[in-house]
Amino acid sequence: MPTTLARSFTLTALLAAAGGAAAQTPVANPMPDGSRDMYLGLGLQSANRYEGGSGRHLLLMPVLQAEWSNGVFISGASAGMHWSGSEGLEYGPLLSLHPGRSERGRALTGAGLSGTGSNTALPPLLMGGWPAMTRMTGMPDVPRRLEGGAFLTWYLNPQWRLANSVLYGAGRERDGLRATVDLQRVAAAVAPHHTLSFTAGITLADAHYNRALFGVTPAQELVGANFVRRPYAPGGGVKDVHAGVRWNWALAPSWMLTSGAHAARLAGDAKASPLVERPTSVTAWSALAYRF
C-alpha cells in the first residue's frame, strides 16, 4: 500500500465475507478540518454465484473508500463514524448494505479498498448457462437490506488488531442479526511499494438471519434429479469461519493496484442447509484505484 494511503487507511477484511457485505472501518486519523481522503477504482472479481453455491461468475467491481476529518467514512457498501479519541481503541456507529440473493444467485454490492473486494450490482460478465433445476429453483428473492449497528476495534499492538462489528436488519423481514470478530494483521511492507495484509475470523448469526438465507419453508420443498430440498428451519450460532489476504502495489503516488482473495467456510446450521451445494466459497479480485 502506498505511503499516502497508509496515513488514512489500514486494511481489513470481511464479512462477512462471502456471506454478506463486511463492515469496513478505516482507521481514525487526525486530519485538517474540512479535509478528506478518497479513492475510486474499478476491477474484476470472481465469486460464487451465491453463498453455499458451487457455480461461479465474473463481475465488474467498483471500488470506493473515503474518510473525512469529522470521522465519517465510506468503504464500499459500509459507512460509519469514528467516535473514539482513545489511542488503540476505535468505535462508532456503522451502516452496511447487506447483499440480496435472487433465484439465480446473489445480488451483489460495492467494495472498498479495505474490504474483501466483494461485490457489485453491475451486470455479471461471462456468465455461463444456468441448469434447468438447482437447489435455488423456486426460492424467493432475498432483497438487499440496510443494516444498522456498531463497530469496535482494539489494537493489540501497532501491527495486530481485533475488529468487531454487530449489524441488524438483514433478511426478508429485516430482523436478521449478525456479528463478526476478526484478527487482522495491518499492512506489512514486503518490498518497496508492496504491502500485504491478512485477516481471519468468524461470523455469528441469529436464527432470523439464518432462516432468511438458508431456511426452506414447507411450501418450498422440492425434489430434483440429484437433490432433495426438504423444509429446514436453522437456528443461530457460528455461521462461518473465514480468512483473507490482500496485496497492494503502489504504482505511483496516486495510483495503486489492489488484489486479494478471501475464503469462507459455512458452519453449524448454515452449513447443514439443503440450499448449500458447497460449504466453502472463495472470492478473488483485482482493481485499479486512484486517490483524489
Side-chain angles (χ1 to χ4, degrees):
M1 180 171 58
T3 302
T4 53
L5 182 61
R7 291 201 298 262
S8 297
F9 300 111
T10 61
L11 302 176
T12 65
L14 243 38
L15 284 117
Q24 320 302 334
T25 55
V27 173
N29 185 66
M31 301 172 68
D33 288 344
S35 64
R36 57 106 173 119
D37 207 358
M38 179 180 295
Y39 274 79
L40 292 174
L42 185 67
L44 289 174
Q45 173 189 318
S46 174
N48 291 61
R49 290 181 182 268
Y50 70 92
E51 189 174 18
S54 59
R56 298 186 66 79
H57 53 186
L58 184 66
L59 305 105
L60 288 173
M61 186 187 77
V63 173
L64 168 64
Q65 184 155 303
E67 186 175 16
W68 287 265
S69 58
N70 59 4
V72 173
F73 64 85
I74 299 173
S75 188
S78 299
M81 185 173 187
H82 289 282
W83 281 356
S84 174
S86 303
E87 185 176 353
L89 186 67
E90 300 164 4
Y91 58 83
L94 186 67
L95 295 174
S96 182
L97 183 63
H98 190 282
R101 186 193 67 201
S102 69
E103 183 180 346
R104 286 175 61 86
R106 206 166 42 161
L108 304 173
T109 55
L113 289 175
S114 63
T116 56
S118 55
N119 305 302
T120 176
L122 294 175
L125 303 175
L126 307 180
M127 292 188 69
W130 190 253
M133 182 176 289
T134 73
R135 294 173 188 256
M136 293 299 300
T137 299
M139 292 297 296
D141 291 351
V142 179
R144 294 186 184 94
R145 294 300 191 199
L146 182 64
E147 301 172 288
F151 69 91
L152 173 67
T153 303
W154 174 37
Y155 280 81
L156 306 176
N157 57 46
Q159 290 76 40
W160 292 91
R161 65 180 189 171
L162 283 173
N164 312 275
S165 67
V166 177
L167 290 163
Y168 178 83
R172 281 184 288 272
E173 304 301 324
R174 297 185 174 89
D175 56 359
L177 178 69
R178 63 188 176 107
T180 302
V181 180
D182 283 330
L183 177 63
Q184 300 171 348
R185 173 61 167 92
V186 177
V190 294
H193 311 295
H194 295 269
T195 60
L196 288 176
S197 61
F198 306 91
T199 187
I202 63 172
T203 304
L204 300 97
D206 70 354
H208 296 293
Y209 182 98
N210 278 343
R211 288 175 187 175
L213 275 298
F214 302 101
V216 178
T217 68
Q220 295 160 358
E221 185 175 7
L222 180 68
V223 178
N226 301 309
F227 66 91
V228 177
R229 192 174 72 200
R230 299 297 188 192
Y232 182 65
V238 176
K239 175 187 147 297
D240 68 61
V241 294
H242 52 263
V245 59
R246 174 176 289 274
W247 164 50
N248 280 0
W249 179 10
L251 303 173
S254 294
W255 287 95
M256 66 177 293
L257 181 68
T258 178
S259 307
H262 184 271
R265 183 170 180 83
L266 294 173
D269 285 10
K271 179 183 177 182
S273 170
L275 300 178
V276 173
E277 299 170 336
R278 181 177 296 166
T280 301
S281 60
V282 178
T283 302
W285 72 92
S286 186
L288 185 65
Y290 180 78
R291 183 177 190 245
F292 290 86

